[in-house]
Amino acid sequence: MMEIVLTAVWLMLPAYIPNSTAAVFGGGKPIDGGRTLSDGRRILGDGKTYRGLVAGTLCGMLLGLLQTYYLAVNGTIFGVELPSFGELPGGLVVIFTLAFGSLFGDMFMSFFKRRLGLKRGAPLPVIDQLDFVFGAWLLTYIASPVWFTENFTFGVIIAVLIITPLLHFVTNVIGYFIGVKNEPW
Ligand code: CTP
Ligand code: MG
């Protein structure tokens, strides 16, 4: 139980961090350049910026590299043996797709939120809590299918799907109270 929870959180850390750091460092030029589609609505909206995308990806990758370093020195946490993102050139690809994929999933769902007529920041339950998980999994599976299937076993996937909405809720409430998020979701 404890082992699978730690494994799930450890593997997902490079995908978790980009969202909160995008909220902290984001702003400036929106990725859609302010453009709208024929439905008259923004392509992505002002909540998806280049600065958030780049800063979030870099922070997720930095954490992944720190985890890789920790593993090289230590190997376990609370007595639980931790999985690695792979030997370094390939491991860097995994770390990148986890970090970038998470913001990609978030961006992808903003596209659909705008098509549904939801304004920036409007809540879309379940999707808001898990879009970044699916983005991270999809890109990582495409780029590193063997690593993905070896590490994201059925049990780990279920653990991630249960833990993530809880963590997401807690971090967003914190983000809201320290003022980096406009809404607590
Ligand atoms: N952010 C950013 N760039 C990104 C993702 C997020 O700058 N690629 C920043 C924005 O300031 C955004 C905040 O992080 O407002 C919170 O992210 P999120 O909740 O995903 O955006 P929302 O403002 O809720 O917009 P949307 O309705 O499109 O999800
Ligand atoms: Mg939001």
Side-chain angles (χ1 to χ4, degrees):
M1 183 68 190
M2 163 95 162
E3 184 170 344
I4 205 145
V5 168
L6 278 177
T7 303
V9 173
W10 178 264
L11 288 175
M12 289 304 285
L13 274 177
Y16 285 155
I17 294 308
N19 271 275
S20 15
T21 46
V24 175
F25 299 115
K29 193 173 160 42
I31 294 166
D32 67 8
R35 283 184 291 269
T36 53
L37 289 188
S38 58
D39 58 10
R41 295 172 183 132
R42 289 286 296 275
I43 302 177
L44 300 172
D46 285 331
K48 306 296 122 151
T49 67
Y50 282 111
R51 221 163 68 201
L53 185 64
V54 172
T57 304
L58 288 179
C59 289
M61 291 184 73
L62 182 66
L63 183 62
L65 289 174
L66 289 173
Q67 289 175 266
T68 303
Y69 174 74
Y70 177 89
L71 266 189
V73 201
N74 225 310
T76 61
I77 199 160
F78 306 127
V80 172
E81 208 168 309
L82 293 165
S84 105
F85 299 112
E87 299 285 313
L88 255 197
L92 200 60
V93 174
V94 168
I95 292 168
F96 171 76
T97 52
L98 285 171
F100 180 77
S102 115
L103 290 170
F104 172 79
D106 171 62
M107 212 156 59
F108 191 78
M109 283 326 293
S110 285
F111 176 83
F112 281 100
K113 290 203 250 178
R114 299 301 90 81
R115 307 288 72 73
L116 291 172
L118 294 172
K119 292 259 181 301
R120 170 199 179 173
L124 190 57
V126 185
I127 302 291
D128 278 336
Q129 281 77 42
L130 290 172
D131 53 8
F132 61 97
V133 170
F134 293 122
W137 282 348
L138 181 70
L139 264 58
T140 305
Y141 179 75
I142 292 171
S144 319
V146 175
W147 181 88
F148 186 91
T149 41
E150 275 171 8
N151 287 278
F152 283 101
T153 56
F154 182 71
V156 172
I157 285 181
I158 298 298
V160 170
L161 292 178
I162 295 170
I163 299 162
T164 305
L166 301 173
L167 285 177
H168 189 264
F169 176 73
V170 173
T171 52
N172 278 354
V173 169
I174 295 172
Y176 176 70
F177 282 108
I178 64 172
V180 298
K181 283 271 303 172
N182 298 325
E183 307 83 18
W185 49 78

